[in-house]
């Protein structure tokens, strides 16, 4: 029987994220999650139907924790609609994602595991598609310059920059990272729409 204590479930999923980041998908067992969460043995098995359920919930929880929050969204809505704002927002995005190091590494592990698990691949594919669509919709509603293609290209470019930062942090200095984010926006976002009318 699957239990319903939402706080305990969230703590277990957060522990699963830490295990994924530290030990990879092969190290993700109910026992490892119980140990990471500092709960009695057998607790995780009471909250998740099986390991696949735990894997997919870990992926969903990473996205939940990466959400910028209402205060950040309100600041974005109040900011000017120009390229400088766009650069600042993308730098904040890279910093926010990179600051949740274990979450992003866990997502990478989940992606690798999805190459071997069709059900997980289907879940992650749907989740990432929804995320891309939400980012495009948010961008289009924001009045910032650029189109849907620019948003998708920035997602791809900045995701790899984050991977580089989290896995090989000495490749680029923080100053170089900021410069790369600015260059990505300047080269991908074409001067149209809101740029003509800041």
């Amino acid at each position: 029987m699957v239990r319903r204590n939402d706080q305990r479930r969230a703590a277990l999923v957060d522990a699963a994220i830490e295990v994924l980041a530290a030990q990879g998908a092969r190290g993700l067992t109910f026992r490892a999650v119980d140990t990471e969460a500092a709960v009695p043995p057998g607790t995780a098995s009471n909250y998740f139907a099986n390991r696949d359920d735990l894997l997919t919930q870990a992926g969903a929880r990473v996205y939940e924790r990466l959400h910028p929050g209402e205060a950040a969204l309100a600041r974005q809505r109040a900011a000017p609609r120009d390229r400088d704002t766009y650069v600042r927002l993308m730098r904040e995005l890279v910093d926010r994602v990179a600051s949740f190091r274990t979450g992003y590494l866990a997502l990478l592990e989940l992606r690798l595991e999805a190459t071997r698990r069709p059900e997980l691949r289907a879940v992650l594919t749907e989740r990432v598609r929804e995320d891309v669509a939400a980012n495009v919709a948010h961008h289009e509603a924001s009045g910032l310059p650029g189109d849907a293609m620019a948003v998708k290209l920035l997602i791809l470019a900045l995701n790899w920059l984050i991977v580089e930062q989290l896995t090989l942090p000495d490749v680029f200095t923080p100053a170089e990272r900021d410069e790369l984010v600015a260059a990505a926006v300047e080269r991908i976002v074409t001067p149209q729409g809101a740029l003509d009318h800041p």
Side-chain angles (χ1 to χ4, degrees):
M1 180 160 125
V2 176
R3 299 230 175 144
R4 296 284 179 213
N5 180 329
D6 291 337
Q7 287 182 328
R8 174 63 62 90
R9 177 183 297 277
L12 290 166
V13 177
D14 286 342
I17 290 167
E18 298 301 316
V19 172
L20 277 168
Q23 301 177 35
R26 291 179 187 243
L28 185 68
T29 63
F30 286 150
R31 178 182 292 173
V33 170
D34 289 340
T35 300
E36 180 68 30
V39 296
T43 301
S45 63
N46 290 325
Y47 281 83
F48 305 98
N50 51 45
R51 190 168 172 273
D52 285 345
D53 182 29
L54 182 58
L55 284 165
T56 55
Q57 289 197 40
R61 178 75 170 147
V62 171
Y63 280 100
E64 189 180 300
R65 287 179 59 187
L66 284 173
H67 189 275
E70 287 308 313
L73 292 176
R75 275 195 322 276
Q76 290 175 14
R77 287 190 288 272
R81 304 294 187 244
D82 58 18
R83 196 176 302 215
D84 289 341
T85 296
Y86 208 140
V87 170
R88 182 180 53 76
L89 292 174
M90 294 302 99
R91 284 179 176 152
E92 287 176 6
L93 171 71
V94 168
D95 288 344
R96 185 175 68 252
V97 174
S99 70
F100 185 24
R101 183 177 190 275
T102 54
Y104 200 84
L105 293 176
L107 276 181
L108 293 177
E109 287 290 339
L110 286 170
R111 283 176 177 245
L112 291 172
E113 189 67 11
T115 65
R116 297 176 285 273
R117 293 175 175 267
E119 301 85 10
L120 180 59
R121 187 172 93 190
V123 168
L124 284 180
T125 298
E126 181 180 343
R127 183 62 186 93
V128 171
R129 279 186 181 153
E130 287 173 2
D131 187 53
V132 170
N135 276 290
V136 168
H138 176 74
H139 175 81
E140 289 173 342
S142 74
L144 284 165
D147 58 8
M149 183 61 73
V151 173
K152 292 174 186 177
L153 288 170
L154 282 171
I155 288 170
L156 293 171
L158 298 182
N159 267 313
W160 195 255
L161 180 61
I162 293 165
V163 169
E164 205 71 46
Q165 180 179 347
L166 295 180
T167 59
L168 300 171
D170 298 326
V171 171
F172 299 113
T173 67
E176 287 174 315
R177 186 188 69 224
D178 284 349
E179 187 179 342
L180 287 165
V181 171
V185 172
E186 289 165 10
R187 293 178 187 203
I188 292 172
V189 178
T190 58
Q192 63 182 26
L195 275 181
D196 297 333
H197 309 284

